[in-house]
Amino acid sequence: MPVDSTTHAWAGALQVLVSTPRRAIRARLDAFVPDAAEAQRRAWDEELEVLQAEGAKVIELHPRAEEHAAVLEYTLPREAGRRPDVVVLQNGRVVVLEFKQTGQLRRVDLDQVAAYARDLAGYHSGCEGREVVPLLVLCGHGALSRVVDGVLVVPAASLASALVELAQQADGPHPDLIGFLEGEYAPLPTLVAAARMLFDNLPLPHVKRARSAGVHDAVERILAESRATWDQGTRRLVLVTGVPGAGKTLVGLQVAHSAALEHGFRFGTGRRRRGAPATFLSGNGPLVQVLQHALKSGTFVQDMHRFIREYGLEHPDRIPTERLIVFDEAQRAWDAAKIADFYGKKLPGLAPSAFASEPALLTRIADRLPHGALVLALVGQGQEIHTGEEGGMVQWADALAGSAQAWSVLGPPKQAGLFTSRGLTFEGDPVLDLDTGLRYHAAEELHRWVELVLDAQDLSSAKSVADRLRAAAFPIYVTRDLGAGRGYLRDRFAGEPLRRYGLLASSKSARHLADYGLDTDFQSTERIRIGEWFNAEPVHPRSCCQLDSVVTEFQCQGLELDLAVVCWSDDFWWEGDAWRSKPPFRLNPLIRDPHQLRTNAYRVLLTRGREGLVLFVPPAPAAKMDATFEALLAAGAEPARGRVERAAG
């Protein structure tokens, strides 16, 4: 008998699927998706005809297949709108079928079914230990059987032979339909989604990938350290390092939230303290705005610059309520020259000695706390894009060494020398170095690809990484047609309201990209309501999914989209065997290495997507952009030829 559930339209044994009247299954589909468009209903009719005819052939050719099971319109939990057409459970193998009413092979369809298979394999407990095969069924004229980038592509008339071949190769446990339908599907949430769940006191999904990557262990180690710090009344700097997308910010949010919920926060007198015991500070204004907009609150996440200004400059004797302070992107803390330049005119009454680096000011604040303090510094790499951010971690070592209080440091062993050379006590713990990327599913090598591309030493090595990314269902495309990039994004996530995709560009691209209808000048980007841009539903006029407004590296750093179009500009181009960048329009004495800042800007832009990357390289100026396009092709980006992509193979 078919299984009833709210997660799918129909599920049952293949034999039952073949023998059930088609109108009965169609009624279940209509009831499950009552607002389906007429085109969808016609597609169901064709799909059911193929499934029943080809399913009968499968059972005839491979009798054991009558025990196999099929699930129609399975909705991936917590991912509204994502429904593989059919999931077939064989012995030890799961086959994901996606039907298209065309004979044309399109990249967007390959990527869609590959992503379904990737996510089921990575996040669904019912698929653990089982191979998950993506299968694209083309029902139109001219379709050919082939394998393209790991996706099995077949015409409708060859579906039975493909399933039989897979079934004969399968050698595993008996299909468990109930186990699959009741299995846990736990994808890694986006940063914004995780913050919402924490703020609402909801448990984060038990994400096997995050646990194996050390996120859970890092959180537990830091919380244990915070309790010891408070019990002993000491002061401790804890460092968490990691590759891009490794979950550093997620660690910081969990630590701040867990500390705020703990009931055992008492100090020397045993008295419970009033107020919030922890805060998450970020100097990334757009990140703060996006999280505050999503949470409808300004307390859980705060602007670090305002905190520094209030307690470090305007009121140097005031004591904050927090005892655990999370400092995001600590390697980008402002140096003393930037602080003096930024606040000198705003606070003219302050003596020059008041202006110190942000680590020094934060240390002074923590020195005043009467019962000890813990500062958690989340340390990224290679994404300094503002003036005054080039001082690096040495500022933290200097700040602690110059403190009137006794500080100790806990962090990854590789950070030891920086602090011990200044006479500070350092304890090493490798659990605080997160070396596995989480943001991009199985594609943690994206940051490696970006490094190889920007390093410019060996583009052929970058191509090898890009090939591995494609095999992991993380495509990288390059196009000279902005309409093609926009069209791919719209087609790729059609009917998936929780997806977020948008246009990104360099902050130095305004003059160049204006010729392509992209407004990236300062005034235009400042008018963007960044909270709505990231969080609003795709139909909202200010949503990123409208693909008519562009944000720069300053607005997207630390945040993520499911897929992004990075609009390349003539501020950073390939020439000969290296990347070149435009010199600053005005020489700023606070900038030490303008080319490195521009390189870092593109590093930020190229690492924002969770599902893939589309690069738009404009046709002009030809001398710069043609060479840039060719360099990206050499690095493994696949050429796009239009909105409807014909896939090679």
Side-chain angles (χ1 to χ4, degrees):
M1 293 295 292
V3 180
D4 291 321
S5 175
T6 58
T7 64
H8 57 273
W10 189 96
L14 186 59
Q15 176 64 55
V16 178
L17 174 64
V18 168
S19 60
T20 299
R22 196 174 304 162
R23 64 179 180 277
I25 302 177
R26 170 60 193 276
R28 295 281 293 272
L29 291 165
D30 289 339
F32 190 69
V33 190
D35 58 348
E38 184 58 34
Q40 174 65 79
R41 298 179 189 280
R42 291 196 300 269
W44 280 335
D45 288 336
E46 185 171 13
E47 174 187 318
L48 288 175
E49 182 178 356
V50 172
L51 278 175
Q52 291 193 318
E54 294 298 298
K57 293 180 186 177
V58 170
I59 294 172
E60 179 182 355
L61 295 171
H62 187 67
R64 289 180 57 194
E66 63 182 24
E67 299 176 350
H68 294 174
V71 185
L72 276 56
E73 296 293 331
Y74 177 69
T75 300
L76 301 182
R78 293 188 292 275
E79 297 197 37
R82 294 194 72 198
R83 300 191 309 269
D85 287 339
V86 184
V87 177
V88 176
L89 305 180
Q90 297 182 334
N91 286 50
R93 176 178 280 138
V94 177
V95 186
V96 184
L97 276 61
E98 194 66 21
F99 286 78
K100 299 299 175 183
Q101 279 58 59
T102 177
Q104 184 181 54
L105 181 57
R106 306 188 308 164
R107 276 291 177 194
V108 68
D109 298 330
L110 286 169
D111 293 342
Q112 180 187 31
V113 69
Y116 284 146
R118 176 203 64 207
D119 292 348
L120 286 170
Y123 302 134
H124 200 297
S125 62
C127 297
E128 188 170 354
R130 299 173 185 263
E131 181 187 8
V132 182
V133 178
L135 197 160
L136 180 62
V137 184
L138 301 180
C139 299
H141 177 71
L144 301 174
S145 293
R146 49 188 143 171
V147 177
V148 182
D149 293 328
V151 177
L152 180 58
V153 182
V154 299
S158 299
L159 176 59
S161 59
L163 288 175
V164 168
E165 183 175 356
L166 289 170
Q168 290 173 339
Q169 297 170 354
D171 183 19
H174 188 277
D176 181 6
L177 178 59
I178 300 300
F180 176 83
L181 295 175
E182 294 180 350
E184 182 183 14
Y185 179 77
L188 183 75
T190 65
L191 175 62
V192 172
R196 283 197 184 105
M197 297 171 76
L198 290 170
F199 191 73
D200 292 336
N201 292 332
L202 299 175
L204 289 174
H206 175 79
V207 183
K208 180 177 63 176
R209 182 172 178 78
R211 182 173 289 273
S212 64
V215 169
H216 174 77
D217 293 339
V219 170
E220 289 301 310
R221 179 70 171 94
I222 298 163
L223 289 175
E225 194 64 31
S226 70
R227 298 183 195 106
T229 298
W230 285 315
D231 287 344
Q232 299 163 14
T234 55
R235 285 168 175 77
R236 188 84 141 156
L237 173 67
V238 178
L239 306 174
V240 173
T241 62
V243 299
K248 297 183 297 295
T249 304
L250 183 60
V251 167
L253 288 171
Q254 289 189 73
V255 167
H257 178 262
S258 298
L261 290 184
E262 283 221 15
H263 300 293
F265 285 170
R266 291 176 170 81
F267 302 98
T269 61
R271 176 177 53 84
R272 289 291 300 275
R273 184 185 55 75
R274 299 174 59 187
T279 187
F280 183 96
L281 300 180
S282 176
N284 184 339
L287 171 65
V288 172
Q289 292 175 45
V290 168
L291 290 174
Q292 289 183 347
H293 178 272
L295 302 177
K296 305 296 187 293
S297 170
T299 58
F300 187 48
V301 177
Q302 298 184 48
D303 184 277
M304 182 265 297
H305 299 308
R306 293 184 180 179
F307 186 89
I308 292 287
R309 174 172 175 165
E310 178 179 356
Y311 296 107
L313 295 173
E314 291 186 311
H315 306 286
D317 296 322
R318 183 175 293 178
I319 299 176
T321 60
E322 293 84 4
R323 295 299 186 273
L324 188 154
I325 299 172
V326 181
F327 194 117
D328 195 24
E329 294 291 346
Q331 83 285 358
R332 295 174 52 207
W334 284 0
D335 58 27
K338 176 66 175 181
I339 291 288
D341 179 71
F342 187 80
Y343 289 111
K345 294 180 180 178
K346 295 180 174 64
L347 303 172
L350 292 182
S353 60
F355 299 115
S357 69
E358 283 183 331
L361 292 171
L362 188 61
T363 301
R364 293 176 188 176
I365 295 169
D367 282 347
R368 299 196 298 268
L369 300 176
H371 301 294
L374 185 140
V375 174
L376 171 60
L378 309 177
V379 184
Q381 53 185 243
Q383 295 194 1
E384 295 78 34
I385 58 177
H386 291 270
T387 59
E389 292 183 346
E390 298 166 275
M393 291 303 295
V394 67
Q395 296 184 105
W396 289 89
D398 289 342
L400 299 189
S403 170
Q405 302 285 351
W407 281 81
S408 61
V409 185
L410 169 68
K414 64 185 180 183
Q415 296 283 335
L418 183 63
F419 295 91
T420 57
S421 64
R422 289 160 173 78
L424 295 163
T425 300
F426 185 95
E427 179 185 353
D429 189 339
V431 78
L432 300 176
D433 183 26
L434 306 177
D435 59 2
T436 302
L438 300 176
R439 186 182 295 145
Y440 310 110
H441 306 280
E444 64 266 15
E445 287 189 292
L446 176 64
H447 71 273
R448 174 64 176 159
W449 182 80
V450 172
E451 288 299 325
L452 288 169
V453 170
L454 296 180
D455 184 57
Q457 295 298 311
D458 188 357
L459 293 183
S460 62
S461 293
K463 184 180 185 306
S464 297
V465 177
D467 292 341
R468 294 198 295 270
L469 285 166
R470 157 57 69 183
F474 188 99
I476 301 174
Y477 298 118
V478 60
T479 181
R480 312 304 294 273
D481 179 359
L482 181 58
R486 284 180 167 130
Y488 174 82
L489 265 63
R490 290 188 176 109
D491 291 344
R492 176 69 179 79
F493 296 128
E496 299 183 17
L498 297 184
R499 297 300 196 149
R500 294 295 179 269
Y501 44 90
L503 305 177
L504 310 178
S506 162
S507 60
K508 305 298 183 183
S509 65
R511 294 184 180 182
H512 180 211
L513 295 182
D515 294 338
Y516 302 92
L518 301 174
D519 297 323
T520 60
D521 59 276
F522 179 78
Q523 290 78 13
S524 297
T525 55
E526 279 294 294
R527 284 195 294 269
I528 293 174
R529 300 179 183 178
I530 199 66
E532 288 183 326
W533 195 89
F534 271 97
N535 294 325
E537 295 183 357
V539 296
H540 193 286
R542 288 190 287 273
S543 167
C544 58
C545 301
Q546 293 294 307
L547 299 177
D548 54 12
S549 56
V550 190
V551 301
T552 71
E553 69 271 18
F554 297 123
Q555 296 161 299
C556 70
Q557 187 174 41
L559 291 158
E560 55 195 1
L561 295 168
D562 289 298
L563 219 154
V565 173
V566 175
C567 304
W568 215 278
S569 184
D570 64 353
D571 65 325
F572 192 75
W573 71 95
W574 184 265
E575 183 178 288
D577 59 357
W579 295 103
R580 311 295 180 190
S581 61
K582 286 183 178 179
F585 183 69
R586 295 185 184 88
L587 185 62
N588 188 332
L590 297 179
I591 298 179
R592 304 179 188 181
D593 188 344
H595 180 73
Q596 187 60 53
L597 288 184
R598 196 82 331 250
T599 302
N600 288 346
Y602 275 82
R603 180 178 288 107
V604 169
L605 297 172
L606 293 171
T607 54
R608 295 306 95 197
R610 289 165 57 96
E611 299 273 341
L613 182 62
V614 178
L615 308 173
F616 164 55
V617 180
K624 289 183 176 181
M625 295 295 98
D626 288 354
T628 299
F629 180 74
E630 293 299 325
L632 293 171
L633 288 177
E638 297 188 65
R641 304 178 184 86
R643 176 171 181 173
V644 177
E645 286 293 322
R646 288 189 180 277

